Amino acid sequence: MMLEMIDVHVGYGRTTVVHGATVAVPAEAVVAVTGHNGAGKTTLLRAAAGLLRPTSGKVLLDGADVTRMRPNERVKRGLAYVPQGQQCFPQLTAEDNLRLVADTRRDGKRLIRDALEVFPALVPVLGRRAGLLSGGQRQQLAIARALITQPRLLVLDEPTEGIQPSVVAEIEETIRALATGGGLSVLLVEQHIGFALSAADRYYVLEAGRVTATGDGGPGAVEHVRTAMAI
């Protein structure tokens, strides 16, 4: 398994948000975590990325126990985290946003070229300030920047939030292509059930911080998930 979160309890201060969640991400697979607002999805991802430390349970990355490792140490082991909100440096150009990461890597120029091959729609706007890009372009920029770190596990929090449907379809296709052809594993949190299940090989439903359902992804899983979420 590329990532295993085993009986993880995690939260903020004395407040536990995720209660004993177990989630596994196989190599070269896409796994989606879905659920209502406040279910603990982002908290779970932050624990995977090392931004929150579980009070109990384990986080394994490619078989190694990283439960107490800092985020930068997990990055070195191949994890890249794209938080919610199409985060970028708005006053910098799209190209400079990519260079900030590429300049810390060997062969940074090639890595930028590779990332732009994944998101060719960014090429015409490289000279534009990132804050002036559309939501879809900023999300593509955020993922492209993460890819420059050459991750083996890409963790995405709400990648379709505030994005027009045509770009959602492009991002879904890109995620599938990265997993099947790029040797990359993907863990994503997503409220857009259709997107989550179409993109994913496996899904987990999180309710009140607990995994209440799991199964194989695909369009046929939509009704199972809607039933599990009572929607």
Side-chain angles (χ1 to χ4, degrees):
M1 288 290 173
M2 180 53 63
L3 176 72
E4 293 178 87
M5 304 185 76
I6 304 169
D7 195 25
V8 167
H9 293 72
V10 64
Y12 303 89
R14 296 183 179 181
T15 302
T16 300
V17 176
V18 174
H19 306 268
T22 295
V23 172
V25 183
E28 299 183 25
V30 180
V31 172
V33 177
T34 190
H36 296 295
N37 284 334
K41 303 184 302 296
T42 292
T43 302
L44 185 69
L45 289 199
R46 288 172 63 84
L51 298 170
L52 291 173
R53 180 174 292 181
T55 54
S56 64
K58 288 185 178 182
V59 180
L60 306 180
L61 184 59
D62 200 16
D65 189 342
V66 298
T67 310
R68 298 191 175 279
M69 283 189 182
R70 296 177 180 178
N72 63 310
E73 295 172 320
R74 300 188 195 200
V75 170
K76 291 177 182 178
R77 288 177 173 266
L79 185 149
Y81 174 53
V82 180
Q84 186 177 7
Q86 305 129 27
Q87 294 190 14
C88 61
F89 296 97
Q91 297 304 314
L92 298 180
T93 66
E95 184 172 10
D96 285 341
N97 268 266
L98 297 177
R99 283 181 174 173
L100 279 176
V101 180
D103 286 349
T104 67
R105 316 289 296 187
R106 292 182 179 179
D107 203 7
K109 290 183 178 180
R110 178 187 63 80
L111 294 173
I112 290 177
R113 288 196 301 270
D114 290 347
L116 292 175
E117 286 183 6
V118 176
F119 293 108
L122 291 176
V123 174
V125 299
L126 284 175
R128 190 177 302 174
R129 285 186 180 180
L132 300 177
L133 301 180
S134 69
Q137 289 168 333
R138 288 197 302 274
Q139 186 63 69
Q140 291 178 349
L141 179 62
I143 298 174
R145 195 171 57 201
L147 292 178
I148 289 174
T149 67
Q150 297 178 288
R152 291 179 297 140
L153 173 66
L154 182 62
V155 179
L156 303 173
D157 193 356
E158 299 282 6
T160 70
E161 183 185 41
I163 295 176
Q164 62 190 35
S166 61
V167 180
V168 169
E170 290 178 16
I171 290 177
E172 177 188 332
E173 183 178 342
T174 299
I175 289 172
R176 289 299 318 163
L178 288 170
T180 58
L184 188 66
S185 301
V186 179
L187 173 63
L188 66 93
V189 151
E190 184 58 62
Q191 287 193 73
H192 189 305
I193 295 174
F195 168 85
L197 298 182
S198 295
D201 299 293
R202 189 158 188 83
Y203 70 84
Y204 293 84
V205 176
L206 203 64
E207 291 292 333
R210 292 177 170 84
V211 174
T212 57
T214 185
D216 294 332
V222 172
E223 281 307 310
H224 292 140
V225 172
R226 289 189 182 278
T227 299
M229 295 175 61
I231 57 175

